[in-house]
Amino acid sequence: TEDARSRDRVAMIAGGIGITPIRALLEEIQGKVVVIYRVIKEEELYLRHELDELAEKRGAVIHYVIGDHRDPKNRHLMTDKHLKTLVPDMAQRDVYLCGPVPMMNMVEASIKRMGVPARNIHTDRFAL
């Protein structure tokens, strides 16, 4: 919940259906918010219309990251270098993560390399 938050700036990163708790947070969190929504195929972008409307209403930014990680051209997706292009000030944000365990492990390692302290990382892992 927003109670875990300690900074004005927030990044929320979701994988697949992990967008549902992130969507709920987007409705309540105030401040400078960036959402990164990771899926393999565009058809998997659940709630896209709602997310776009909420982002516009709340002044948030949404990045849709689409591509199969097994394809060599997409191996850079969600790495610290890639995330830095999407959210250059990631180290100054609270980061909420929700998604499948493999994605979560990769993203958590990436954002730690970017300088996000463990106390500012809030996770919700699930298994498929």
Side-chain angles (χ1 to χ4, degrees), residues 16 29 60 65 85 99 124 127-128:
I29 285 187
V65 177
T85 66
D124 185 6
L128 296 176

Side-chain angles (χ1 to χ4, degrees), residues 49-119:
H49 181 71
E50 284 182 46
L51 292 167
D52 290 340
E53 283 182 2
L54 272 171
E56 185 176 333
K57 193 182 302 183
R58 315 244 342 131
V61 174
I62 298 185
H63 298 286
Y64 296 102
V65 177
I66 304 165
D68 191 332
H69 58 278
R70 294 168 292 197
D71 184 331
K73 72 178 181 184
N74 295 323
R75 298 238 170 145
H76 72 287
L77 298 177
M78 306 307 281
T79 62
D80 44 330
K81 186 176 179 180
H82 177 238
L83 291 171
K84 187 148 183 81
T85 66
L86 301 176
V87 188
D89 64 346
M90 187 77 79
Q92 286 74 51
R93 293 177 180 263
D94 268 297
V95 181
Y96 291 80
L97 302 173
C98 186
V101 173
M103 184 213 80
M104 298 279 295
N105 291 341
M106 179 188 176
V107 171
E108 191 167 359
S110 292
I111 63 175
K112 283 180 177 176
R113 282 191 300 272
M114 293 174 72
V116 179
R119 71 181 173 277

Side-chain angles (χ1 to χ4, degrees), residues 12 19-29 47 51 54:
M12 297 187 286
I19 194 63
T20 53
I22 296 298
R23 184 239 175 261
L25 279 171
L26 183 57
E27 221 171 352
E28 74 176 55
I29 285 187
L47 308 174
L51 292 167
L54 272 171

Side-chain angles (χ1 to χ4, degrees), residues 2 5 8-10 29-34 58-60 93:
E2 187 170 13
R5 180 179 174 188
D8 179 53
R9 295 170 186 246
V10 173
I29 285 187
Q30 303 291 323
K32 297 180 180 179
V33 177
V34 175
R58 315 244 342 131
R93 293 177 180 263

